[in-house]
Amino acid sequence: VVLGVVAFLLGVTWRPHQQVTYPVDYSGAVAQASKDAPFEVLVPQAPGFAPTVARFEAESYGPPGAVRLYLGFTDAQGRFALVWQSNGRAAAVAGAAGNDGVCDGRFSSEWTRCLSDRPLTRSLVRVADGVTTVVAGTLEWESLQALADSLRPASEVQ
């Protein structure tokens, strides 16, 4: 009888455990960043990614006045990716965006690969002219690199 009651309660209260994300329009955050950020704002042009998060805000990993543009995406398989641009401290920004992954080299104007296995996060980090750009997520390296390679100045896209 007890097992029957438990089975009934589980059947009545069971819900799927999938995360639902809804697309957002990130043009407002990009426009604000393009106007106020002291760096050239980049936006990805890779097909197949739906924007789910867009924020232009103060950077918590930098000196007062540092800012970041954070754009989050999902692909058709539900994998997550982000593009984070900041004039904050490079190591702190890369660590936060990439879940403190281990990097295969020093940050430079070329993409540096970083990997964290808990939770699995692959990230590409580029530092040039005081601006850190991180492209990170649960994508394979090839897809992550394609997203990074698709970054274009917002002024050319709009």
Side-chain angles (χ1 to χ4, degrees):
V1 170
V2 171
L3 288 176
V5 170
V6 169
F8 172 77
L9 290 174
L10 287 174
V12 170
T13 60
W14 182 84
R15 301 287 182 268
H17 289 74
Q18 62 188 20
Q19 184 175 359
V20 177
T21 57
Y22 299 98
V24 300
D25 179 7
Y26 63 74
S27 61
V30 169
Q32 189 67 43
S34 295
K35 179 180 161 206
D36 294 339
F39 50 82
E40 182 174 51
V41 172
L42 302 174
V43 293
Q45 298 299 296
F49 288 93
T52 57
V53 178
R55 297 189 307 257
F56 177 65
E57 59 194 2
E59 177 60 81
S60 51
Y61 302 105
V67 294
R68 70 174 159 223
L69 175 63
Y70 179 98
L71 304 173
F73 302 89
T74 55
D75 70 0
Q77 290 80 36
R79 298 173 299 184
F80 177 75
L82 66 83
V83 175
W84 182 332
Q85 280 188 278
S86 171
N87 60 339
R89 291 186 314 272
V93 169
N99 290 321
D100 294 318
V102 176
C103 301
D104 65 2
R106 297 176 59 101
F107 301 138
S108 69
S109 60
E110 300 297 321
W111 291 109
T112 300
R113 286 185 174 197
C114 304
L115 177 65
S116 172
D117 58 357
R118 294 189 186 215
L120 176 62
T121 307
R122 294 177 184 92
S123 57
L124 298 170
V125 181
R126 180 173 66 192
V127 178
D129 300 323
V131 179
T132 303
T133 303
V134 180
V135 179
T138 55
L139 306 171
E140 300 86 19
W141 286 114
E142 296 78 22
S143 298
L144 202 64
Q145 187 67 57
L147 185 62
D149 290 343
S150 78
L151 292 174
R152 299 289 178 268
S155 59
E156 294 178 10
V157 176
Q158 296 175 351

